[in-house]
Amino acid sequence: MCRDLKVFFVMINILKPLIKQFMPFAQERIGFDHPPRLFLRQDTDNANNPLGKTAYYDVAAKSVTLYITGRHPKDIMRSLAHELVHHKQNCEGRFDNIGEMGEGSAQTNPGVRDMEIAANRDGSMCLRDWEDSIKGTIYNEHLLK
């Protein structure tokens, strides 16, 4: 457990500056009014599941939970960008009366499917644009040390 906790804090120290710089960019690019609450979760059992969770957006709490155990920081950031699109959708009221949102709903509910397509497309492109905007900067060189 002590090793897992150490790895968790190392990852937190990598992610904090990335998230701090990314959030204003994402807020402007994606277009949400206020940032959601953000939680970083360590979950070894989930990390050991090849089809485990990567992140989720809680509509009622307006929060994003990111699973970080055993993941590459860029992959975690991609999950964050995806969930931020869902946050925008929630702020716009798109989750109101959407119907079933449980497991498999992206295959059975056309509204949920459309929102997932948008989150995959817009979230990934937001992260890509942000990454391209900081490559070669002093900030990025600091992260590589």
Side-chain angles (χ1 to χ4, degrees):
M1 183 64 177
C2 186
R3 182 189 179 285
D4 288 344
L5 198 55
K6 183 177 179 181
V7 170
F8 176 74
F9 285 115
V10 167
M11 183 60 79
I12 294 292
N13 288 333
I14 292 169
L15 288 171
K16 267 176 86 172
L18 291 171
I19 292 169
K20 185 176 181 178
Q21 186 178 15
F22 177 66
M23 287 301 287
F25 182 93
Q27 186 170 359
E28 182 178 323
R29 183 64 54 99
I30 293 169
F32 49 89
D33 293 332
H34 57 280
R37 295 174 57 207
L38 181 60
F39 300 99
L40 304 177
R41 183 165 176 195
Q42 178 180 341
D43 187 330
T44 305
D45 290 338
N46 183 68
N48 290 330
N49 178 353
L51 297 177
K53 297 175 183 174
T54 56
Y56 68 89
Y57 179 71
D58 185 321
V59 174
K62 292 187 176 180
S63 67
V64 171
T65 298
L66 300 169
Y67 290 86
I68 67 171
T69 309
R71 295 178 67 197
H72 190 283
K74 187 173 175 179
D75 182 47
I76 296 167
M77 296 297 293
R78 189 175 294 110
S79 292
L80 173 58
H82 176 101
E83 300 306 331
L84 290 174
V85 175
H86 288 317
H87 179 62
K88 176 190 178 189
Q89 293 165 340
N90 189 28
C91 293
E92 294 173 340
R94 297 207 38 218
F95 281 94
D96 300 347
N97 304 313
I98 191 71
E100 177 59 37
M101 291 193 308
E103 192 170 322
S105 62
Q107 288 73 41
T108 60
N109 182 327
V112 171
R113 186 165 188 86
D114 288 344
M115 290 197 308
E116 279 299 312
I117 290 169
N120 284 322
R121 180 193 63 226
D122 299 345
S124 290
M125 289 310 300
C126 179
L127 182 67
R128 174 68 186 264
D129 292 346
W130 172 73
E131 180 184 0
D132 288 350
S133 78
I134 67 163
K135 280 190 174 173
T137 66
I138 293 170
Y139 177 84
N140 195 42
E141 291 168 7
H142 167 73
L143 288 174
L144 295 174
K145 289 182 182 179

